[in-house]
PDB file of all heavy atoms in Angstrom:
ATOM      1  N   PRO D 156     118.596  91.625 107.512  1.00 91.00           N
ATOM      2  CA  PRO D 156     118.640  91.952 108.938  1.00 91.00           C
ATOM      3  C   PRO D 156     117.450  92.786 109.414  1.00 91.00           C
ATOM      4  O   PRO D 156     117.037  92.673 110.572  1.00 91.00           O
ATOM      5  CB  PRO D 156     119.952  92.738 109.078  1.00 91.00           C
ATOM      6  CG  PRO D 156     120.807  92.229 107.964  1.00 91.00           C
ATOM      7  CD  PRO D 156     119.874  91.944 106.838  1.00 91.00           C
ATOM      8  N   ALA D 157     116.883  93.622 108.555  1.00 92.00           N
ATOM      9  CA  ALA D 157     115.743  94.443 108.970  1.00 92.00           C
ATOM     10  C   ALA D 157     114.572  93.591 109.418  1.00 92.00           C
ATOM     11  O   ALA D 157     113.835  93.959 110.343  1.00 92.00           O
ATOM     12  CB  ALA D 157     115.319  95.362 107.821  1.00 92.00           C
ATOM     13  N   THR D 158     114.385  92.441 108.795  1.00 93.00           N
ATOM     14  CA  THR D 158     113.289  91.553 109.180  1.00 93.00           C
ATOM     15  C   THR D 158     113.550  90.940 110.544  1.00 93.00           C
ATOM     16  O   THR D 158     112.627  90.833 111.371  1.00 93.00           O
ATOM     17  CB  THR D 158     113.105  90.448 108.127  1.00 93.00           C
ATOM     18  OG1 THR D 158     112.852  91.043 106.851  1.00 93.00           O
ATOM     19  CG2 THR D 158     111.939  89.537 108.493  1.00 93.00           C
ATOM     20  N   TYR D 159     114.784  90.551 110.813  1.00 94.00           N
ATOM     21  CA  TYR D 159     115.108  89.992 112.124  1.00 94.00           C
ATOM     22  C   TYR D 159     114.957  91.047 113.218  1.00 94.00           C
ATOM     23  O   TYR D 159     114.524  90.739 114.337  1.00 94.00           O
ATOM     24  CB  TYR D 159     116.532  89.428 112.121  1.00 94.00           C
ATOM     25  CG  TYR D 159     116.728  88.299 111.139  1.00 94.00           C
ATOM     26  CD1 TYR D 159     117.779  88.312 110.225  1.00 94.00           C
ATOM     27  CD2 TYR D 159     115.858  87.213 111.111  1.00 94.00           C
ATOM     28  CE1 TYR D 159     117.949  87.283 109.313  1.00 94.00           C
ATOM     29  CE2 TYR D 159     116.031  86.180 110.207  1.00 94.00           C
ATOM     30  CZ  TYR D 159     117.076  86.218 109.313  1.00 94.00           C
ATOM     31  OH  TYR D 159     117.235  85.202 108.411  1.00 94.00           O
ATOM     32  N   ALA D 160     115.297  92.286 112.892  1.00 94.00           N
ATOM     33  CA  ALA D 160     115.085  93.371 113.856  1.00 94.00           C
ATOM     34  C   ALA D 160     113.601  93.533 114.156  1.00 94.00           C
ATOM     35  O   ALA D 160     113.211  93.825 115.288  1.00 94.00           O
ATOM     36  CB  ALA D 160     115.661  94.675 113.309  1.00 94.00           C
ATOM     37  N   LEU D 161     112.783  93.321 113.146  1.00 94.00           N
ATOM     38  CA  LEU D 161     111.332  93.410 113.329  1.00 94.00           C
ATOM     39  C   LEU D 161     110.830  92.320 114.264  1.00 94.00           C
ATOM     40  O   LEU D 161     109.922  92.559 115.071  1.00 94.00           O
ATOM     41  CB  LEU D 161     110.648  93.295 111.967  1.00 94.00           C
ATOM     42  CG  LEU D 161     109.148  93.553 111.921  1.00 94.00           C
ATOM     43  CD1 LEU D 161     108.826  94.975 112.339  1.00 94.00           C
ATOM     44  CD2 LEU D 161     108.615  93.285 110.517  1.00 94.00           C
ATOM     45  N   TYR D 162     111.414  91.120 114.181  1.00 94.00           N
ATOM     46  CA  TYR D 162     111.032  90.040 115.088  1.00 94.00           C
ATOM     47  C   TYR D 162     111.228  90.444 116.548  1.00 94.00           C
ATOM     48  O   TYR D 162     110.449  90.051 117.422  1.00 94.00           O
ATOM     49  CB  TYR D 162     111.872  88.782 114.812  1.00 94.00           C
ATOM     50  CG  TYR D 162     111.639  88.131 113.466  1.00 94.00           C
ATOM     51  CD1 TYR D 162     112.542  87.201 112.966  1.00 94.00           C
ATOM     52  CD2 TYR D 162     110.538  88.445 112.695  1.00 94.00           C
ATOM     53  CE1 TYR D 162     112.351  86.589 111.739  1.00 94.00           C
ATOM     54  CE2 TYR D 162     110.335  87.844 111.459  1.00 94.00           C
ATOM     55  CZ  TYR D 162     111.244  86.917 110.992  1.00 94.00           C
ATOM     56  OH  TYR D 162     111.038  86.314 109.776  1.00 94.00           O
ATOM     57  N   LEU D 163     112.273  91.204 116.821  1.00 96.00           N
ATOM     58  CA  LEU D 163     112.546  91.648 118.189  1.00 96.00           C
ATOM     59  C   LEU D 163     111.702  92.856 118.570  1.00 96.00           C
ATOM     60  O   LEU D 163     111.297  93.006 119.728  1.00 96.00           O
ATOM     61  CB  LEU D 163     114.032  91.992 118.336  1.00 96.00           C
ATOM     62  CG  LEU D 163     115.034  90.861 118.053  1.00 96.00           C
ATOM     63  CD1 LEU D 163     116.457  91.392 118.151  1.00 96.00           C
ATOM     64  CD2 LEU D 163     114.822  89.711 119.015  1.00 96.00           C
ATOM     65  N   LEU D 164     111.433  93.715 117.585  1.00 96.00           N
ATOM     66  CA  LEU D 164     110.714  94.955 117.871  1.00 96.00           C
ATOM     67  C   LEU D 164     109.270  94.697 118.284  1.00 96.00           C
ATOM     68  O   LEU D 164     108.758  95.379 119.185  1.00 96.00           O
ATOM     69  CB  LEU D 164     110.753  95.861 116.632  1.00 96.00           C
ATOM     70  CG  LEU D 164     110.037  97.207 116.751  1.00 96.00           C
ATOM     71  CD1 LEU D 164     110.660  98.061 117.843  1.00 96.00           C
ATOM     72  CD2 LEU D 164     110.064  97.937 115.405  1.00 96.00           C
ATOM     73  N   VAL D 165     108.616  93.751 117.662  1.00 96.00           N
ATOM     74  CA  VAL D 165     107.189  93.517 117.952  1.00 96.00           C
ATOM     75  C   VAL D 165     106.957  93.136 119.414  1.00 96.00           C
ATOM     76  O   VAL D 165     106.173  93.802 120.108  1.00 96.00           O
ATOM     77  CB  VAL D 165     106.617  92.447 116.997  1.00 96.00           C
ATOM     78  CG1 VAL D 165     105.195  92.061 117.421  1.00 96.00           C
ATOM     79  CG2 VAL D 165     106.591  92.977 115.569  1.00 96.00           C
ATOM     80  N   PRO D 166     107.613  92.102 119.947  1.00 97.00           N
ATOM     81  CA  PRO D 166     107.376  91.789 121.367  1.00 97.00           C
ATOM     82  C   PRO D 166     107.891  92.869 122.314  1.00 97.00           C
ATOM     83  O   PRO D 166     107.280  93.121 123.356  1.00 97.00           O
ATOM     84  CB  PRO D 166     108.121  90.464 121.580  1.00 97.00           C
ATOM     85  CG  PRO D 166     109.142  90.414 120.494  1.00 97.00           C
ATOM     86  CD  PRO D 166     108.529  91.114 119.325  1.00 97.00           C
ATOM     87  N   ALA D 167     109.008  93.516 121.952  1.00 97.00           N
ATOM     88  CA  ALA D 167     109.535  94.579 122.820  1.00 97.00           C
ATOM     89  C   ALA D 167     108.558  95.736 122.899  1.00 97.00           C
ATOM     90  O   ALA D 167     108.320  96.293 123.986  1.00 97.00           O
ATOM     91  CB  ALA D 167     110.891  95.058 122.290  1.00 97.00           C
ATOM     92  N   LEU D 168     107.965  96.094 121.789  1.00 97.00           N
ATOM     93  CA  LEU D 168     107.017  97.210 121.770  1.00 97.00           C
ATOM     94  C   LEU D 168     105.729  96.836 122.493  1.00 97.00           C
ATOM     95  O   LEU D 168     105.138  97.678 123.196  1.00 97.00           O
ATOM     96  CB  LEU D 168     106.716  97.597 120.318  1.00 97.00           C
ATOM     97  CG  LEU D 168     106.135  98.992 120.077  1.00 97.00           C
ATOM     98  CD1 LEU D 168     107.030 100.058 120.696  1.00 97.00           C
ATOM     99  CD2 LEU D 168     105.974  99.227 118.579  1.00 97.00           C
TER     100      LEU D 168
END
Side-chain angles (χ1 to χ4, degrees):
T158 302
Y159 298 129
L161 188 62
Y162 294 164
L163 300 176
L164 180 62
V165 172
L168 200 55

